[in-house]
Amino acid sequence: MSHRKGACLCGAVSYTLSGEPRAIALCHCSHCKKQSGSAFSFNLVVRESDYQQSGDTTVYLDTGDSGEPVHRHFCAKCGSPLFARIAAAPGKVILKAGTLDSLEGLRPLAEIYTAQAVPWLDAVEGAQRFPQNQ
Ligand SMILES: [Zn+2]
């Protein structure tokens, strides 16, 4: 079983990830752009039981396309987004991959909300594309 470690920028929140991600995807939606301050986000879908956190996050309650709540967790000290919990994926944590200490071996297998992707970004080779959510 693989173990990965991650943390926010300041280190106030850290975590260990065990097991393998259930999905690895880029998300091009407008909310991910806003929250990341970038053109897209790089997300891992992991089992709740595989995610062990140390330190406390602050939650921003967002709303997804479905109208269901999206709980976006971030570090209140440095502002790093760490993960989200969404009603549509019970028992899962949507982890912001950029907070991992190493991205080695992690390659996106899907891209979602590609209808909102910036036009200058090429498709990731081998990744399935979904215009909206998958
Ligand atoms: Zn922090």
Side-chain angles (χ1 to χ4, degrees), residues 8-13 75-80:
C8 64
L9 181 60
C10 75
V13 184
C75 173
K77 197 172 169 195
C78 69
S80 296

Side-chain angles (χ1 to χ4, degrees), residues 101-121:
D101 295 343
S102 168
L103 294 178
E104 198 183 328
L106 295 172
R107 190 184 163 80
L109 299 173
E111 294 187 70
I112 64 172
Y113 288 98
T114 56
Q116 298 173 45
V118 290
W120 43 260
L121 188 69

